[in-house]
Each structure stands twice: as structure tokens, then as C-alpha cells.
Amino acid sequence: MELSGTATVILGMLAARPRSGYDIKQLVDSSTRFFWAASYGQIYPELKRLAEAGLIEATDSPQGGRRRTVYELTAKGRKAVREWFERPPEIYELRDEGLLKLFFAGVIDPGRAPEVIRHRGAHSAEIAERLHEIERRIEAGTKDGPAYAADMPSRTVLRFGIEMNEWIAQWCERAANDFEDDTAAKPAGAGRRG
Amino acid sequence: MELSGTATVILGMLAARPRSGYDIKQLVDSSTRFFWAASYGQIYPELKRLAEAGLIEATDSPQGGRRRTVYELTAKGRKAVREWFERPPEIYELRDEGLLKLFFAGVIDPGRAPEVIRHRGAHSAEIAERLHEIERRIEAGTKDGPAYAADMPSRTVLRFGIEMNEWIAQWCERAANDFEDDTAAKPAGAGRRG
DNA sequence: ATACTCATGTAACGAGTTACATGATTTA
DNA sequence: TAAATCATGTAACTCGTTACATGAGTAT
């Protein structure tokens, strides 16, 4: 069974407990979105496809006059998640415009390189702060914390996100300073070209 | 002027010197692909669009009987690159299946979490190694090194890639060990749930 | 001869985003 | 009563990949 990116995140979210499409979207937005996003435009059609394929099962459970469809994994679906989980080939895609700008800074405007690096660092600092806030809410207890299972592996992912982004912020700060020292010590515009 | 992702990388590559579509693709594959990829299916049509828009200019420069079209920035194109360079809103997109698996490990197969973390770490170690190899070739001089300008900012991006991936590999190794210690110390399956 | 690299391009497909449309319930 | 949230869904669009097609030159 081939699963799309959105399919895997849906199946994973349903592995914990039955949820609606809306639930899944909220959950993704407060957890995986930093390394695996999903939009309504993908989630709802994918839920239908997965139901047709027999991996999940829909149950109507309206709240008052407000319609609501909750999905849960079938035996087939559980098998599919496990198989996905055990498959080795892994997607790793990155699109980082800050790095691209820095990469081209030398031929566009070398003087602005420190600024570009600092901007990239600030972005990571901001992500780290947002993740830290999520962590604090989890630690404060279930009351206002996110609805997803705060188990060890998912907490590890959160820690990873915080620490990696903090590391990046620090690295960028140091690199920007080195850059400025380097250009201050030499005549303007002189880099070390081969 | 709105520029697509592929357009920015093309313009950036042409900012250094005129190049063919083929050149750009080779260059991308040995440099930006780790944080900004581009395929022929995007590059060639985009070159035509950019030429039509007057940002670049095509010149036929066949090598023997082998046709070849070289593009260079026009004044308008140079202006567009600068404007892009100075624009603040930045794309940052990540899709990391290894992290997604770790995130769901708790509800799918907690026992395999250390394995999943190590796998993720090994992937980063591999990227670090590949980038390190590129760095060695640049340092060995221009003879067999990549054709792109080995200037300060692009070298900084390369260093960033190496050091970040090494940091990730180490973090994962430590996290996997902590995980094993933790589960060994407690009765099987007991995580610290709220 | 054969395979590889240089070189350009297109068609089909897949995946995902944004904007829009609709409507109920709850809170300020 | 207005705004926010819950809840589902579609259509248009953008972006990008893969596979395919073509053909010349170069190295084995």
C-alpha cells in the first residue's frame, strides 16, 4: 500500500485514538507542522480516499446540530501504519530561503552577509521559542496543554526541535560576528577567493 | 516582479556568470540541492519564462555540432535579484519523515524508538560526510572542485550544513542512548505519562 | 561499438496551498 | 448581535518530480 505524505500523518494521528478531520488539522498545527504540515485541502479528500481503501472507518457523531465525522483505524489500517513505520526509505526535504540568500550573498551584496545570517538565526530563535512555549504548556499539565499524547518519543521530537533551533541561532550569531571581524580586518570587499 | 523558487535559484546562479540550463542543474546538484533543489523539468521552462520577461538573455553558443544556449542577466534581471535579496519574507519548509516516525513511535511501537532515532542520526551523518567531501574538493583547489564560486558566504553555508548535520547525528546518538537507559531502568512499556 | 556525458526539452502526474462556500454553536 | 470557533468540503492554482524523447560528442 502506497501512502501519500498526508496519509501517513493522518494514520499516525488516528493510531492514538479516533478523531475528526478538524481534530487532525488542529493537532498537526500544534505539533508536527514544524517538520510535516498538512492542510484541510489535503486532509478531507485523503480521509475519504483512506475510508474507500478500507484503512479507516467513518462514524457520524454530531455535536448538537453540528455535523461531525470521526474516523478510526481498521485492522487493515493498523497494519498499513506498522508497515509504513518499519519501511526504511525516508523523505527528507528542505527549502530554506535564508540559506539560499546567504549562498548568493557573495555575488549579490557581500556587505549584507552578516545581516542575512542574523536574520536566519533570528528565525530559528523564534521557532525555538514557539516550541518552548508548547513544551511549557505540556509540562503545566493536561488542562491547557495540546490534545496529543505527550509520550516519550513525541517529547523527544519536541526537545530536538527546541535544541536544534537554539543551536542554529547561536551558530548564526557567531558566524555573523566572525564575518564582520573578517571584513573589518581586511580592505572592503576582499574575501578569500581561491 | 514575483519570482518562483526555481526562478530565484536560476537568477542567483546567473549573477556570478552566464551559464546554460545544464550548467545550472549541475551546479545546483553540487551545492544548493541540500536546502534548495531544482529539476530540469522546472529549469528549462523557467529559463524561457525569464527570457520572455526580459530578466535574462539567451545566446546560442554551440560546442561543435552540439547545441547550447547560454543565459545571462539583463539590467532588469540584476535589479530583480537585488530586490529578491533584500525582501524579508522567507520560505522555510521542512518535510522530515524520520522525525514523523519518531513522533508516532509511542503509539505504534515504542520499543523501536531508539532504532528510529539512530536511523535519523545516521542520515544526518551521511549528509555531513557528503558535504565534507565537497569542502575537501574546494580546498584542494579549483582543479577537481565544483564550478561555483567558493566565496565566503557560500563557504559559510557549506560549513553550516556540515556542522548542523554533525550536531544532529550526535544529538540523536545521545537521545537513543538515554532512551534505552530509561526503558531498561523501568518495567517494560512504562513511559512517563501525565 | 558501447556507454557515458553534454544538452535541451515535454508530458503526465502527484502533491500541496489558498481561497472560497456553507452552516451550526458558542462566547464576548 | 457580532465575532470566534467548530466543522466539512471543493476548485483553481502553483509547484515540482519522473519519465520519456531526442541527438551530438567523447572515452573505453
Side-chain angles (χ1 to χ4, degrees), chain B:
Chain B
M1 183 83 207
E2 278 304 308
L3 300 176
S4 70
T6 307
T8 63
V9 79
I10 288 174
L11 259 25
M13 289 296 185
L14 295 182
R17 70 176 71 89
R19 305 180 200 269
S20 68
Y22 188 85
D23 289 343
I24 292 170
K25 171 61 172 164
Q26 303 310 304
L27 224 48
V28 166
D29 282 349
S30 66
S31 60
T32 67
R33 92 168 128 143
F34 298 99
F35 56 91
W36 202 276
S39 66
Y40 284 127
Q42 278 292 112
I43 292 170
Y44 285 116
E46 191 63 48
L47 281 168
K48 289 200 169 171
R49 275 191 290 270
L50 290 170
E52 268 168 46
L55 302 190
I56 60 176
E57 200 175 28
T59 309
D60 281 341
S61 67
Q63 301 287 300
R66 189 191 273 161
R67 72 172 164 149
R68 186 177 140 90
T69 309
V70 167
Y71 295 87
E72 62 185 310
L73 289 185
T74 61
K76 200 173 164 186
R78 242 182 307 278
K79 198 180 155 225
V81 194
R82 261 192 170 277
E83 278 169 8
W84 164 74
F85 186 76
E86 277 153 33
R87 253 198 299 278
E90 288 174 2
I91 294 168
Y92 178 75
E93 284 162 24
L94 179 60
R95 217 157 177 80
D96 189 328
E97 203 178 354
L99 288 185
L100 191 67
K101 283 183 181 177
L102 181 56
F103 185 81
F104 289 135
V107 288
I108 298 176
D109 193 346
R112 294 216 170 163
E115 187 188 323
V116 172
I117 303 175
R118 285 216 171 81
H119 200 272
R120 179 64 188 78
H123 183 237
S124 273
E126 202 193 301
I127 293 174
E129 188 38 55
R130 276 194 283 166
L131 294 174
H132 200 70
E133 176 56 32
I134 291 173
E135 192 183 45
R136 274 194 294 267
R137 271 185 292 192
I138 290 171
E139 271 161 9
T142 336
K143 28 186 193 300
D144 59 340
Y148 59 87
D151 58 23
M152 272 274 277
S154 67
R155 286 293 302 278
T156 302
V157 173
L158 185 54
R159 267 280 105 203
F160 175 79
I162 294 167
E163 292 179 29
M164 184 190 72
N165 280 291
E166 282 173 348
W167 182 90
I168 292 173
Q170 280 163 32
W171 195 96
C172 288
E173 194 49 45
R174 211 210 56 206
N177 290 336
D178 287 357
F179 230 98
E180 283 167 344
D181 293 350
D182 214 63
T183 42
K186 294 174 185 178
R192 40 172 148 99
R193 288 199 185 223

Side-chain angles (χ1 to χ4, degrees), chain A residues 15 17 24 34 90 97 99 101 120 131-132 142 174 176 185:
Chain A
R17 71 177 69 92
I24 292 170
F34 299 98
E90 287 175 2
E97 203 177 355
L99 288 186
K101 282 185 182 178
R120 179 64 189 79
L131 294 175
H132 199 71
T142 338
R174 210 211 57 206

